[in-house]
Amino acid sequence: MKSFIEYIVSIFKGVWTLLVGMKVTAKYFFTPWNNVTQQYPENRDTLVMFDRFRGEVIMPHTENNEHLCTGCGICELNCPNGSIEIISKSIITPEGKKKRIIDQHIYHLGMCTLCNLCVKACPTGAIVMGQKFEHAVWDRALLTKVLNQPGSKIAEGVKE
Amino acid sequence: MDIYNFTTLTHNIHTGLAQSFAPWLATTIEWVIVGVAYLLFVALFGLFLVYAERKVCAAFQQRLGPMRVGKWGLLQTIADFIKLLMKELIMPRKADWFLYNLAPFIVIIASFLAIAALPFAPGLQSMDFDIGVFYLTAVSSVGVIGILLAGWSSNNKYSLIGAMRSGAQILSYELSVSLSLLTMVVFAGTMQFSAIVEGQRDAWFIFSGHIPAIIAFVVFLIAGTAETNRGPFDLAEAESELVAGFHTEYSGIKFAMFFLAEYINLFIISAVAATVFLGGWMPLHFGNLESFNHVMDFIPPVIWFFGKVLFVIFVIMWFKWTFPRLRVDQILTLEWKYLLPINLVNILLMALVVLTKFHF
Amino acid sequence: MSEIREVIIKTDKLATDKYQVNMGPQHPSTHGVLRLLVTLEGEKVLNVQPHSGYIHSGIEKMCEAISYPQIIHLTDRMDYLSAHMNNEAVALCVENALQVEVPDRVKYIRTIMDELARLASHQLWWCVFGMDLGALTTFFYGLRDREHILDIFEETCGARMTVSYSTPGGLMFDIHPNFQKRVKDFIKYFRTKLPEYDKLLSGNVILRERTEGIGHLSYKDAIDFGVTGPSGRASGFSCDVRKHNPYSAYPFVKFNEILDHRCDTLARYEVRILEMYESLNIIEQLIDNIPEGDYAVKMKGVLKLPEGEFYQRVETARGEFGVFIVSDGKKNPYRVKFRSPGFSNLFALNNMTKGHKIADLVAIMSTLDLIIPDIDR
Ligand code: SF4
Ligand code: SF4
């Protein structure tokens, strides 16, 4: 008899726990305005990334097409996977001195792990992290970028 | 409410055809019309159910569900279906060619057979057997043969395990489905679907049969969910264990057939529940609230029927999207140790209720 | 075929046989590319033989070629759900070797981040566990709550999973000004959601039936196999590194080590649920008391560890994670070895699943909370 009562009780207890679970899902079913998903490509315009978000390495330029990179190559040294290549060139300054400046700051986005070490290491703060995250391209070659814009030059007064 | 009665319409069509054609031709044309009508209905309603399932499940999970194809993603399932039609049909090299190709058809034919006996509205029923309930339980269990064949012929171990599970499961749960229907047959005194519906003119069986009817309804819902191989009883295709179970090796349109059959079965189980327990196409009537009853009569029976069916379908979906899956031995335990004894006692209870006339 | 028929004729019995199934490397429940060679008899599991290495990425070898600060970003990619703890392990190891004392602020922030990562990891585990048992809705509830933590990470660390936040000597950045507010909001939010987890899954009779008494891992076996973390603690093995070898700010906080002696799948499940509550407590104790100060100490441009061997262990969401560095005094390590919890936990699987059903195998594997890159490294 006792086990029979236990049997009956176990049925009701079991059904009760199931109903409790169903209540949770029902709560969400009947409050569809609490939905959490977003319709991604449609909401592109309103989508704001956090300002520290690491999407890619970029080199900001002023409106005079000037950047802060001295071509020292520290970022290249700090990069764990060789995503940065610095190609520098020698020029003769107006004072007649020989000087090495940046020719091409080559950045392989396809290899970059966005670890932030290059940005942290750069002594002049020439490179920063950009917030763009849609990097899909049809051709792998497009992932190799030259960060300093053509014709750009180093800003005045950057210490070397 | 004769404006909603289809009997005259079908009768007129029949006499019209009989007058203008030879009898054999008339019969053939009628067959074709009925066949096409069912095919169309099944295809469209199946697609709608897939869409509904995705939307309902999305709502349970705080998502939006399909939104891209058509307004609110309404055309999504059609797009999916076209995609499935165009997919390559892959067959494992060592599969049993004949059985492998036969299995989806068996599954879907079983579903079609079952759907034929359901009364959608007064006069809208293709076969009004006097043993309708019996016929339905008989043909709905034919589908498992297809599942077993699919699992066995695919030459895949996952499929085989899934098929065996499904066999064990459906064999057991067939018992509960039939017994809970039997309870209601005892109450209704007939096996004919149209008579069962007619018997609920004043009150649906779930109200007039009170406790035993409610128990039978719950048992039927559980066993019915198990019969359709849906979660929490979806062991046959348990995704996290058996990849896709018995239809792992199927692709393209053959997979679509299994998929469609699953949803037709869902519809059948819900329709039977709606017919036997919730009054089929009968509007909601309360004993002596004349004006209320009159208002209810204005809603067409088809809407009543589908409203109830969709309600039951929603409950079954609710189960699926809430509960974890049972293990194979627990499924059998549930059936043999819980549902079956409850059912047997319930039939006795119902017999007592009927004998003592202790019902409304 | 004819052989079987003969056997049937001869013995008058149905011929049965064992058979083997490859679960994985592509299988929905292996969460990646783990391959299990399962010997079955009907539904019964006789033997499970894990084959790892399908996602081996050679991280330990790569570490030998790069400098210490650069190792950090590789540890993100092993156990990506415990990225913070892995980062911290390497950072602590290097700091200990160089005998650098980091400011308290760093310790507090690291600890908060650890606990947030642990919460995020347990949330993900919870939703995947539900999914493995067939309750698909839990998946989205877990991810929904995890999103809040990932937002916190993204705002402060700049990345959602591969955070690379701890560096030798401190942190990559200071915390974001919104950090404390966001964390407090999250705690408030999650305290309302965590009971829902219990309602939806923990109390559910189906879950209890499926987990109770399944996958027994005895106390002795847990120690023998080196099963650590929540899985070990559910066998009564007190192995919480945060308690026994406190690091960072753990000495300053009060918390309980969750132990359970039932040793089964349900115990492992409940230990993790309770750990989530415990993590919330830890964060609450710390979040208002983050001391002022620097977020990093100034380190040399090129870090060279003194010659010798250094070991540091931390408690990740999966168990004890150890970093063993052998240095020959150069700027690159001579050898790095990671003791990853997943590897040891995985190999207890065979012992736990013997005689259970296939469905139990999936459930047991899920409660071990395996991360495949953590196993293969
Ligand atoms: S973010 Fe890291 S991986 Fe990428 S370029 Fe900079 S240092 Fe290299
Ligand atoms: S980006 Fe910075 S570190 Fe790299 S070369 Fe230019 S100045 Fe040097």
Side-chain angles (χ1 to χ4, degrees):
Chain A
M1 193 61 203
K2 189 151 169 277
S3 66
F4 179 70
I5 292 175
E6 271 170 16
Y7 170 83
I8 300 287
V9 169
S10 74
I11 292 177
F12 279 99
K13 268 198 186 143
V15 171
W16 177 250
T17 60
L18 298 181
L19 290 180
V20 169
M22 283 170 78
K23 203 179 128 211
V24 174
T25 41
K27 188 180 113 195
Y28 290 115
F29 183 82
F30 291 111
T31 51
W33 51 89
N34 285 338
N35 281 357
V36 286
T37 47
Q38 300 173 358
Q39 287 194 277
Y40 157 57
E42 284 90 340
N43 71 354
R44 260 198 197 124
D45 300 334
T46 53
L47 200 66
V48 192
M49 304 305 290
F50 291 110
D51 48 358
R52 283 186 190 173
F53 178 73
R54 308 205 287 259
E56 60 178 339
V57 176
I58 50 172
M59 185 180 285
H61 286 64
T62 61
E63 60 268 33
N64 304 332
N65 211 3
E66 290 174 336
H67 56 73
L68 301 174
C69 177
T70 59
C72 64
I74 291 177
C75 53
E76 186 180 6
L77 278 178
N78 269 280
C79 181
N81 40 36
S83 309
I84 294 180
E85 282 173 55
I86 305 290
I87 299 176
S88 51
K89 62 181 175 195
S90 303
I91 51 158
I92 313 287
T93 51
E95 296 98 67
K97 270 194 271 175
K98 246 185 145 188
K99 190 181 160 198
R100 294 198 74 78
I101 61 157
I102 185 87
D103 181 20
Q104 281 186 315
H105 187 298
I106 299 173
Y107 168 57
H108 300 279
L109 177 59
M111 279 154 66
C112 173
T113 49
L114 303 167
C115 65
N116 207 37
L117 287 176
C118 53
V119 174
K120 206 174 149 211
C122 176
T124 57
I127 44 179
V128 293
M129 281 289 176
Q131 271 75 48
K132 186 169 163 250
F133 63 95
E134 293 162 316
H135 295 304
V137 285
W138 288 105
D139 184 359
R140 201 184 300 170
L142 296 177
L143 290 175
T144 299
K145 303 176 180 185
V146 179
L147 290 190
N148 53 333
Q149 288 168 8
S152 62
K153 60 178 194 300
I154 183 164
E156 289 294 317
V158 177
K159 285 235 181 61
E160 285 173 35
Chain B
M1 293 316 294
D2 284 342
I3 47 162
Y4 297 132
N5 202 326
F6 287 84
T7 325
T8 35
L9 176 70
T10 46
H11 184 74
N12 288 347
I13 294 176
H14 176 70
T15 42
L17 283 173
Q19 276 162 6
S20 32
F21 297 103
W24 64 269
L25 192 57
T27 321
T28 319
I29 291 177
E30 275 172 21
W31 282 355
V32 170
I33 291 176
V34 172
V36 169
Y38 271 104
L39 262 181
L40 266 183
F41 166 74
V42 162
L44 291 181
F45 200 69
L47 287 182
F48 165 74
L49 273 185
V50 176
Y51 173 76
E53 166 107 358
R54 292 177 67 175
K55 276 292 187 193
V56 167
C57 117
F60 276 129
Q61 301 172 342
Q62 295 198 285
R63 295 186 288 122
L64 291 169
M67 288 295 275
R68 300 249 193 269
V69 190
K71 181 89 181 143
W72 294 98
L74 271 169
L75 303 178
Q76 178 70 48
T77 42
I78 297 176
D80 285 349
F81 195 68
I82 294 171
K83 181 202 76 175
L84 278 176
L85 280 179
M86 295 194 304
K87 276 206 161 177
E88 188 190 356
L89 291 173
I90 303 167
M91 194 174 99
R93 194 181 303 147
K94 290 202 173 166
D96 186 321
W97 182 87
F98 178 67
L99 295 182
Y100 179 83
N101 289 316
L102 183 67
F105 293 100
I106 292 186
V107 171
I108 205 147
I109 286 173
S111 316
F112 269 104
L113 282 178
I115 217 169
L118 294 171
F120 289 83
L124 209 59
Q125 181 182 16
S126 63
M127 295 190 291
D128 193 10
F129 291 125
D130 49 359
I131 50 159
V133 175
F134 179 70
Y135 165 80
L136 195 124
T137 44
V139 293
S140 67
S141 47
V142 172
V144 70
I145 297 178
I147 293 180
L148 278 172
L149 284 185
W152 190 80
S153 64
S154 312
N155 194 24
N156 177 323
K157 287 166 189 163
Y158 287 126
S159 306
L160 188 62
I161 301 173
M164 288 304 158
R165 282 179 176 190
S166 161
Q169 178 184 336
I170 293 185
L171 279 184
S172 324
Y173 278 84
E174 196 60 44
L175 217 60
S176 274
V177 169
S178 322
L179 280 178
S180 53
L181 286 178
L182 198 62
T183 318
M184 297 322 285
V185 169
V186 168
F187 187 63
T190 171
M191 278 200 188
Q192 192 171 10
F193 273 119
S194 56
I196 288 180
V197 175
E198 205 55 45
Q200 309 184 58
R201 181 165 292 281
D202 293 326
W204 302 351
F205 281 166
I206 194 161
F207 298 132
S208 55
H210 55 90
I211 298 175
I214 291 172
I215 295 178
F217 181 62
V218 173
V219 170
F220 182 81
L221 268 191
I222 298 174
T225 319
E227 273 255 310
T228 50
N229 272 332
R230 285 177 59 83
F233 304 98
D234 55 347
L235 290 125
E237 46 209 279
E239 189 231 349
S240 57
E241 297 154 28
L242 302 181
V243 189
F246 63 91
H247 55 61
T248 308
E249 296 289 358
Y250 284 88
S251 63
I253 185 69
K254 286 184 208 152
F255 168 74
M257 279 192 195
F258 281 117
F259 202 61
L260 200 60
E262 186 186 325
Y263 283 93
I264 306 172
N265 286 337
L266 173 64
F267 167 72
I268 292 167
I269 287 293
S270 313
V272 172
T275 309
V276 176
F277 296 94
L278 304 179
W281 44 262
M282 271 300 164
L284 180 63
H285 283 176
F286 281 118
N288 37 22
L289 295 172
E290 286 301 328
S291 51
F292 176 79
N293 292 350
H294 201 64
V295 173
M296 285 294 143
D297 280 342
F298 274 106
I299 303 173
V302 179
I303 298 215
W304 274 109
F305 178 74
F306 278 100
K308 290 168 192 177
V309 170
L310 289 179
F311 168 74
V312 179
I313 288 179
F314 171 75
V315 172
I316 294 182
M317 285 181 181
W318 192 2
F319 289 159
K320 168 157 186 174
W321 298 110
T322 308
F323 300 140
R325 184 183 304 124
L326 280 91
R327 213 191 316 146
V328 64
D329 54 325
Q330 285 164 354
I331 282 215
L332 299 183
T333 313
L334 176 67
E335 164 63 22
W336 295 100
K337 284 197 183 159
Y338 290 89
L339 293 188
L340 189 65
I342 289 175
N343 239 328
L344 291 173
V345 172
N346 198 31
I347 289 189
L348 276 182
L349 197 64
M350 187 53 112
L352 269 180
V353 165
V354 172
L355 281 180
T356 55
K357 298 223 164 25
F358 177 60
H359 56 77
F360 307 111
Chain C
M1 230 26 200
S2 61
E3 286 165 34
I4 294 179
R5 194 168 300 144
E6 265 166 35
V7 173
I8 296 172
I9 293 165
K10 264 191 210 138
T11 58
D12 211 17
K13 258 197 261 164
L14 209 57
T16 57
D17 207 352
K18 292 180 222 163
Y19 60 106
Q20 289 190 320
V21 173
N22 270 310
M23 262 177 121
Q26 280 92 33
H27 186 276
S29 76
T30 52
H31 308 302
V33 282
L34 177 66
R35 174 173 156 227
L36 299 176
L37 187 57
V38 189
T39 312
L40 294 166
E41 188 176 20
E43 285 261 343
K44 207 162 96 192
V45 178
L46 295 182
N47 191 26
V48 179
Q49 216 178 327
H51 289 251
S52 55
Y54 282 84
I55 196 167
H56 183 64
S57 45
I59 286 182
E60 286 175 7
K61 189 72 192 165
M62 276 201 267
C63 290
E64 292 169 19
I66 54 181
S67 69
Y68 294 103
Q70 291 173 341
I71 290 178
I72 299 280
H73 90 291
L74 288 178
T75 59
D76 280 342
R77 285 157 178 84
M78 293 195 293
D79 180 355
Y80 42 79
L81 293 180
S82 311
H84 264 298
M85 293 85 140
N86 296 356
N87 292 168
E88 189 181 356
V90 176
L92 284 172
C93 191
V94 173
E95 282 156 16
N96 288 350
L98 294 173
Q99 288 167 344
V100 175
E101 174 74 18
V102 292
D104 272 356
R105 184 179 178 80
V106 175
K107 291 182 180 171
Y108 272 64
I109 296 172
R110 276 182 183 172
T111 309
I112 294 172
M113 285 296 187
D114 277 359
E115 291 309 314
L116 283 177
R118 193 183 318 279
L119 272 174
S121 170
H122 282 354
Q123 281 165 350
L124 189 77
W125 159 81
W126 180 77
C127 54
V128 172
F129 181 67
M131 202 170 69
D132 279 346
L133 292 187
L136 297 156
T137 303
T138 62
F139 188 70
F140 292 92
Y141 293 173
L143 284 186
R144 170 197 69 195
D145 301 336
R146 180 166 168 263
E147 203 66 8
H148 292 255
I149 297 184
L150 294 191
D151 276 349
I152 295 173
F153 284 174
E154 189 180 339
E155 193 174 42
T156 287
C157 320
R160 296 168 77 80
M161 284 177 64
T162 51
V163 285
S164 304
Y165 189 52
S166 293
T167 53
L171 304 166
M172 186 68 88
F173 316 101
D174 201 357
I175 49 173
H176 197 274
N178 287 344
F179 177 74
Q180 274 157 308
K181 189 179 157 294
R182 253 180 200 276
V183 171
K184 275 187 250 173
D185 284 351
F186 166 74
I187 291 177
K188 223 164 94 201
Y189 165 84
F190 195 51
R191 281 217 188 267
T192 64
K193 296 291 172 195
L194 201 45
E196 238 166 47
Y197 287 21
D198 284 336
K199 279 191 207 152
L200 185 61
L201 205 57
S202 321
N204 194 308
V205 62
I206 302 177
L207 176 112
R208 296 195 98 82
E209 285 291 317
R210 281 210 48 188
T211 50
E212 228 159 5
I214 300 296
H216 190 87
L217 178 73
S218 67
Y219 175 72
K220 188 174 165 300
D221 283 344
I223 293 177
D224 284 356
F225 282 107
V227 178
T228 50
S231 314
R233 289 197 281 282
S235 299
F237 174 26
S238 166
C239 54
D240 198 332
V241 182
R242 296 175 292 171
K243 250 317 187 241
H244 297 287
N245 259 7
Y247 51 93
S248 290
Y250 286 111
F252 312 139
V253 288
K254 278 214 253 336
F255 66 100
N256 298 323
E257 179 179 7
I258 312 287
L259 279 182
D260 204 312
H261 298 277
R262 284 172 296 169
C263 310
D264 57 358
T265 307
L266 184 62
R268 286 189 284 277
Y269 175 89
E270 285 186 349
V271 164
R272 286 204 174 81
I273 294 281
L274 291 175
E275 273 195 4
M276 285 203 244
Y277 284 104
E278 216 50 54
S279 292
L280 286 177
N281 288 342
I282 296 177
I283 299 172
E284 264 174 357
Q285 288 175 42
L286 294 175
I287 189 69
D288 279 325
N289 308 323
I290 300 178
E292 293 297 317
D294 283 338
Y295 65 86
V297 287
K298 192 93 188 95
M299 301 291 269
K300 283 208 217 71
V302 178
L303 292 182
K304 282 186 183 161
L305 259 58
E307 251 175 72
E309 298 174 355
F310 308 97
Y311 186 69
Q312 173 68 41
R313 50 190 193 149
V314 297
E315 179 79 16
T316 71
R318 267 152 216 86
E320 177 180 329
F321 177 80
V323 184
F324 182 60
I325 298 179
V326 182
S327 165
D328 52 1
K330 301 215 184 72
K331 73 178 176 52
N332 307 335
Y334 176 74
R335 171 83 169 94
V336 176
K337 157 89 183 132
F338 296 113
R339 187 255 182 233
S340 65
F343 189 77
S344 319
N345 293 2
L346 168 67
F347 285 91
L349 188 62
N350 186 17
N351 196 292
M352 294 155 74
T353 48
K354 276 217 175 92
H356 289 307
K357 305 267 187 306
I358 304 174
D360 295 329
L361 168 66
V362 174
I364 294 168
M365 196 159 63
S366 199
T367 50
L368 284 178
D369 197 8
L370 302 171
I371 295 286
I372 312 305
D374 181 40
I375 296 168
D376 288 349
R377 302 195 292 286

